[in-house]
């Protein structure tokens, strides 16, 4: 699973930020790694011009094999909170999506019939 980090001009990108995103995302959705080809993280600060904490946003988009891309976002006072919130949302969204795929695939399998002869034994 490949994790790409993108930032807008208001966020200073550095190795520590990339490592933090990689660690948080991997911890949240690592168990789904075999089903995910890529995760795109988009980080931005919508109110960077203000002196107080801005409206930090983290958008995560996961490319799940056999499914449409799943995108979630979180807004928070700090970038780390936004990353953690988005990772948690992504974990729940992928769990739900893969559960639906699993249910669809197994719902089409024929249900074995039980005959009277089998039950009387």
């Amino acid at each position: 699973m490949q994790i790409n980090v993108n930032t807008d001009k208001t966020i200073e990108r550095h190795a520590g930020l990339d490592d933090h995103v990689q660690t948080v995302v991997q911890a949240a959705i690592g168990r789904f790694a075999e089903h995910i080809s890529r995760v795109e993280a988009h980080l931005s600060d919508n109110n960077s011009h203000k002196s107080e904490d801005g409206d930090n946003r983290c958008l995560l988009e996961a490319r799940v094999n056999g499914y449409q891309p799943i995108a979630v976002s979180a807004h928070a006072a700090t970038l780390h909170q936004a990353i953690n919130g988005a990772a948690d949302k992504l974990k729940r969204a992928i769990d739900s999506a893969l559960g639906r795929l699993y249910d669809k695939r197994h719902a089409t399998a024929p249900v074995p019939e039980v005959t009277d002869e089998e039950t009387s034994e």
Side-chain angles (χ1 to χ4, degrees), residues 101-110:
L101 274 180
Y102 180 82
D103 290 345
K104 277 184 186 177
R105 289 184 182 148
H106 289 84
T108 58

Side-chain angles (χ1 to χ4, degrees), residues 53-72:
D53 280 341
D55 182 20
N56 293 286
R57 179 176 182 236
C58 176
L59 173 92
L60 295 176
E61 180 182 358
R63 302 294 176 138
V64 180
N65 304 327
Y67 202 73
Q68 295 291 322
I70 298 171
V72 298

Side-chain angles (χ1 to χ4, degrees), residues 6-108:
N6 305 295
T7 60
D8 69 2
K9 62 184 179 197
T10 62
I11 303 288
E12 183 181 332
R13 186 171 174 194
H14 51 84
L17 180 60
D18 287 358
D19 290 343
H20 177 70
V21 171
Q22 298 256 350
T23 302
V24 170
V25 171
Q26 185 67 34
I29 63 169
R31 67 187 178 119
F32 304 116
E34 66 187 36
H35 301 286
I36 300 171
S37 59
R38 183 175 80 228
V39 175
E40 294 283 336
H42 301 275
L43 308 175
S44 61
D45 184 356
N46 296 334
N47 293 327
S48 63
H49 60 279
K50 294 184 179 178
S51 60
E52 70 235 20
D53 280 341
D55 182 20
N56 293 286
R57 179 176 182 236
C58 176
L59 173 92
L60 295 176
E61 180 182 358
R63 302 294 176 138
V64 180
N65 304 327
Y67 202 73
Q68 295 291 322
I70 298 171
V72 298
S73 67
H75 295 262
T78 69
L79 197 53
H80 288 267
Q81 290 171 341
I83 293 166
N84 290 330
D88 189 48
K89 285 182 181 181
L90 186 62
K91 176 178 69 172
R92 291 191 311 264
I94 292 172
D95 190 29
S96 177
L98 291 178
R100 284 193 303 268
L101 274 180
Y102 180 82
D103 290 345
K104 277 184 186 177
R105 289 184 182 148
H106 289 84
T108 58

